[in-house]
Amino acid sequence: MSGMFMQIIQGRVRDAAATMATLERWHQDIEPGATGFLGATYGISDDGTCVIAVRFESEEAAQRNSRRPEQSQWWARMEGNFVDGATFHDCSDVTMLLSGGRDDAGFVQVIQGRVHGRDRLHTLVEQSGELISRYRPDIVGATVAIDEDGYFTETVAFRSEKEAREAESKPRPPDAARVLEEEMSHLDDVHYVDLREPRFVSH
């Protein structure tokens, strides 16, 4: 676990191109003045679900950014892209695997659910980081963020969707299978969001 703070913002959007253009404007116009900003991963799935995972060095830095007038003005524009508004998950419980990812990743899968047995899950996530580096060269990094209510969001960055699908179709080594199965047993209501054209911002 790190001292990092992560905010997950998501919801269904009306127009993917307009939404991505609004997000690009944040990168160009707002991000330069966002002190404590570490990076972001974002994208829109085929069904129009937009997921934005933003990393700050602390919760205080994130709150400081949200109080900036230019941030508020930008969000007023961004909010209009969502069909039924956006949901937020504020996470002080953040784990990075393989440095979190790389900006040249070609595919990101977002895995979400509710956690039970948080402490044991942390141990399993750390074990899975070692197994990923050993068995899954297609994975270039991941982040795991859990909010106060136990809502879990994992973003897994792959070199490409093709490599990810090929690796998923192969039998798992027994040690990797055991850790993954136990990890999933600590999650309820699991669902996946595939970002086929992910974007990355990092400092």
Side-chain angles (χ1 to χ4, degrees), residues 98 127-137 139:
L98 304 182
Q127 291 177 11
S128 70
E130 298 167 12
L131 293 165
I132 286 168
S133 61
R134 196 183 313 161
Y135 297 126
R136 293 294 298 267
I139 297 177

Side-chain angles (χ1 to χ4, degrees), residues 12-199:
R12 193 71 59 86
V13 295
R14 295 180 177 83
D15 183 323
T19 301
M20 292 301 279
T22 307
L23 286 162
E24 293 292 335
R25 278 202 294 275
W26 187 90
H27 176 38
Q28 293 167 8
D29 302 338
I30 314 300
E31 184 241 311
T35 57
F37 170 77
L38 297 176
T41 299
Y42 58 94
I44 301 172
S45 69
D46 292 348
D47 72 353
T49 300
C50 177
V51 179
I52 310 159
V54 190
R55 304 182 299 281
F56 284 89
E57 62 187 21
S58 67
E59 183 171 6
E60 197 275 329
Q63 291 173 348
R64 196 165 56 237
N65 177 66
S66 69
R67 291 193 293 267
R68 297 165 63 210
E70 56 268 47
Q71 172 70 24
S72 300
Q73 291 162 11
W74 174 84
W75 177 250
R77 293 194 298 272
M78 180 64 192
E79 198 171 22
N81 290 294
F82 291 98
V83 176
D84 296 307
T87 59
F88 294 80
H89 299 286
D90 293 333
C91 308
S92 297
D93 182 345
V94 180
T95 305
M96 305 276 280
L97 302 177
L98 304 182
S99 302
R102 288 204 316 251
D103 290 356
D104 61 349
F107 176 63
V108 169
Q109 186 166 71
V110 182
I111 306 162
Q112 294 181 306
R114 293 210 165 270
V115 173
H116 53 86
R118 187 188 293 237
D119 290 344
R120 178 59 181 162
L121 184 68
H122 280 146
T123 301
L124 293 165
V125 166
E126 287 168 12
Q127 291 177 11
S128 70
E130 298 167 12
L131 293 165
I132 286 168
S133 61
R134 196 183 313 161
Y135 297 126
R136 293 294 298 267
D138 57 306
I139 297 177
V140 296
T143 61
V144 176
I146 308 172
D147 71 11
E148 283 188 359
D149 296 328
Y151 194 83
F152 169 102
T153 299
E154 181 173 10
T155 62
V156 186
F158 299 87
R159 286 198 300 221
S160 70
E161 183 175 9
K162 180 175 181 290
E163 287 181 70
R165 302 302 182 197
E166 287 172 355
E168 284 171 5
S169 68
K170 294 175 183 174
R172 293 189 183 98
D175 51 348
R178 178 187 58 77
V179 170
L180 181 62
E181 284 166 15
E182 189 180 350
E183 194 176 312
M184 295 304 288
S185 76
H186 286 273
L187 300 177
D188 296 321
D189 304 321
V190 177
H191 64 278
Y192 299 83
V193 182
D194 290 342
L195 307 179
R196 294 194 163 88
E197 295 184 11
R199 305 282 176 86

